[in-house]
Amino acid sequence: MYDLSLQKLTGHSWRPYLPIQKLSQDLHIFCIPAIARPGEELLDADMILSDCELHHLSKLRLPSLKENFKRSRYFLRNILSVFLNSSPSALNFKKDKGHKPSVDGLEYNLTRSADFIIIAVSEQPVGIDLEFIKPDFDFSDICDQHFHEEEQRWIDTDRLRFFTVWTRKEAVLKATGEGLIDDMATFSTIAPRVYRTPNGFNLESYLMNDNYILSLATNNSDKKTYFWQL
């Protein structure tokens, strides 16, 4: 059995990021608070977000969901604009047949929670998923129905292991553009590399703040990963 020891992302794991900073062509992970900090206002958000994004924002009723979505799209556009040397409002977002998003040839993936917005940016396909480790969540049925036998044996009754596998599956399926599928039990994510495409994807999982599991799927095996905090 493979060793899936979780890497811990402590405060020292994240570098402070400044928008003027030039970014290399490696793999970059950005962490943004999902809730505005005291005194923080996204004053130019209405000018940066597209009409489609603003329309979606207007349809959200819960203030927490509105703020989460607004911050996600605002910071996503600002981050990608640095890579592409473009204005945030001018970015041309596209989706392939599997609804996998990209922008001007650059791959990205986004995952959100109540506390964090995590954005991954790469020149190669990438998938990322963040999940809160729910202390009272009954995961037995999900394991039985959607997890590979190898995964079920490794998880047993361990809650932390369940959320590790769950995020790894989602990260892989987001990297391929498949999204959640009916036959999730047909492949295992216990190995450090999973083959859903000819090239396969490297899988890494991290523990954040003792409350969240973050998993990353990428076929950029020769690239360095940088963690940035905004």
Side-chain angles (χ1 to χ4, degrees):
M1 185 64 69
Y2 299 101
D3 178 17
L4 281 186
S5 300
L6 292 172
Q7 304 177 56
K8 286 193 175 183
L9 290 175
T10 64
H12 297 293
S13 304
W14 302 90
R15 302 182 184 187
Y17 173 68
L18 299 176
I20 61 172
Q21 195 163 0
K22 291 185 178 180
L23 299 173
S24 62
Q25 296 177 347
D26 288 296
L27 176 60
H28 298 270
I29 311 297
F30 299 86
C31 180
I32 303 108
I35 299 174
R37 289 156 286 207
E40 181 185 30
E41 292 185 67
L42 308 183
L43 297 176
D44 55 345
D46 289 348
M47 299 177 61
I48 289 178
L49 270 60
S50 68
D51 291 341
C52 182
E53 289 167 331
L54 291 172
H55 177 68
H56 180 82
L57 181 65
S58 69
K59 293 170 63 177
L60 297 174
R61 293 291 173 255
L62 290 176
S64 59
L65 293 180
K66 291 177 74 74
E67 181 174 19
N68 196 305
F69 177 79
K70 184 177 183 179
R71 292 177 64 79
S72 297
R73 301 308 299 183
Y74 176 86
F75 283 104
L76 175 66
R77 283 182 170 273
N78 275 282
I79 288 168
L80 293 175
S81 70
V82 175
F83 282 90
L84 297 169
N85 193 27
S86 171
S87 66
S89 60
L91 297 179
N92 183 25
F93 289 91
K94 295 181 180 180
K95 290 185 178 181
D96 61 19
K97 293 180 180 180
H99 302 287
K100 190 173 190 302
S102 64
V103 55
D104 293 332
L106 193 64
E107 298 272 350
Y108 73 90
N109 206 230
L110 185 150
T111 183
R112 298 182 292 182
S113 71
D115 296 317
F116 302 105
I117 299 164
I118 307 292
I119 298 170
V121 181
S122 173
E123 290 187 326
Q124 302 297 323
V126 61
I128 196 164
D129 188 56
L130 178 73
E131 295 290 340
F132 177 69
I133 306 169
K134 300 176 183 176
D136 55 353
F137 183 69
D138 183 2
F139 54 84
S140 56
D141 286 345
I142 291 180
C143 284
D144 294 341
Q145 297 177 31
H146 300 293
F147 284 7
H148 190 276
E149 291 181 359
E150 183 181 48
E151 295 171 328
Q152 293 181 37
R153 289 193 299 270
W154 183 72
I155 293 170
D156 193 15
T157 60
D158 192 301
R159 185 173 304 276
L160 188 60
R161 289 188 173 192
F162 164 77
F163 282 103
T164 300
V165 169
W166 182 256
T167 56
R168 289 166 77 87
K169 277 193 180 291
E170 285 222 36
V172 170
L173 294 172
K174 289 172 74 175
T176 62
E178 296 172 87
L180 293 181
I181 56 176
D182 293 331
D183 60 346
M184 290 175 64
T186 59
F187 71 101
S188 173
T189 58
I190 298 299
R193 191 167 180 83
V194 174
Y195 290 89
R196 294 294 290 180
T197 64
N199 293 329
F201 291 91
N202 294 329
L203 278 171
E204 295 179 346
S205 297
Y206 304 89
L207 182 63
M208 288 181 57
N209 289 359
D210 295 328
N211 295 317
Y212 284 93
I213 295 288
L214 176 70
S215 286
L216 173 69
T218 176
N219 57 18
N220 254 2
S221 58
D222 60 336
K223 300 293 185 180
K224 185 175 179 180
T225 303
Y226 294 91
F227 293 91
W228 304 103
Q229 196 167 45
L230 278 73

